[in-house]
Amino acid sequence: MPRHSETRYLPYTPEQLFDLVADVARYDEFLPWVVAVRIRSSSEKETVADLVVGFNAFKERFTSRVVKERPTQICVDYVEGPLKYLHNEWNFERAPDGGTNVGFSVDFAFRSRLFETLAGSMFDRALRRMTVAFEQRAAALYGINRSSRRAWPEAGLPNGSFRQKTSGLRRFLPGWRHGQRARTQRCRRASAVSRRQAQRCR
């Protein structure tokens, strides 16, 4: 059961990063291994989408429900496909310098033991590639403004590959984590409501 969570700083506003992650329809333009996207339904608060993921001879379709709370949180829950389950969260906390502390977590499991073994062996590399892809996308869409350069000179690293900003962050983390736990609970309640509504409509 691959599982990962991390917090990192990026020199963009929560609104900018939220819009980037929420734009599921364009994932096939920049995310590695996402070869096609089909949006089943989309609104301000929720998107249901099919993603076709391909790697060499392997190709699978995943359907996910994306619950959105702009600009602070995005929750992704698995609907159907080859997985047992998937839960993914993005949390966007505005930093004092105008950038964003991004909280990211993912937890999933495959039905197939073979896929589970393959996923475990590739998980770290795939996660790094995905993280870099999102950072490069942000740099391509938004560039780097002057205030971000002053607050974090390393944001100017080539290829959009940003290092975590740790200086000055520790004093904000206790309150941030407390808020993240509260947002996670709201996210799970919203996801549960969405699932019940979908079941009633079947």
Side-chain angles (χ1 to χ4, degrees), residues 11-13 16 98 142-150:
Y12 307 101
T13 68
Q16 288 174 323
Y142 308 126
I144 300 172
N145 60 41
R146 292 182 180 178
S147 62
S148 296
R149 287 184 184 275
R150 287 197 298 270

Side-chain angles (χ1 to χ4, degrees), residues 10 13-14 26 31 45 47 66 74 97 102 105 113 117-118 120 125 129-130 133 149 151-152 160 162 167 176 182 191:
L10 290 176
T13 68
R26 301 182 71 180
L31 278 183
K45 292 293 186 180
T47 296
V66 183
I74 292 174
D97 61 13
V102 182
S105 66
R113 288 187 178 181
T117 302
L118 290 172
R125 182 166 64 94
R129 286 194 62 181
M130 187 191 75
R149 287 184 184 275
W152 187 27
F162 304 119
S167 60
W176 185 87
S191 297

Side-chain angles (χ1 to χ4, degrees), residues 18-73:
F18 177 96
D19 290 344
L20 188 161
V21 176
D23 192 8
V24 178
R26 301 182 71 180
Y27 277 10
D28 57 345
E29 296 179 14
F30 67 95
L31 278 183
W33 307 303
V34 176
V35 298
V37 178
R38 182 174 73 94
I39 303 298
R40 292 191 181 189
S41 63
S42 187
S43 67
E44 182 181 352
K45 292 293 186 180
E46 181 181 283
T47 296
V48 178
D50 297 330
L51 272 67
V52 177
V53 178
F55 180 74
N56 292 335
F58 169 82
K59 187 174 288 187
E60 286 287 351
R61 179 177 61 85
F62 299 79
T63 303
S64 298
R65 176 174 290 104
V66 183
V67 178
K68 300 171 283 187
E69 187 179 329
R70 192 177 192 271
T72 57
Q73 187 176 59

Side-chain angles (χ1 to χ4, degrees), residues 122-165:
M122 297 173 56
F123 182 68
D124 288 341
R125 182 166 64 94
L127 189 66
R128 285 195 298 271
R129 286 194 62 181
M130 187 191 75
T131 301
V132 170
F134 273 108
E135 292 176 346
Q136 290 177 336
R137 183 68 167 182
L141 291 177
Y142 308 126
I144 300 172
N145 60 41
R146 292 182 180 178
S147 62
S148 296
R149 287 184 184 275
R150 287 197 298 270
W152 187 27
E154 288 185 358
L157 288 171
N159 299 322
S161 180
F162 304 119
R163 298 192 186 107
Q164 274 185 269
K165 180 184 179 184

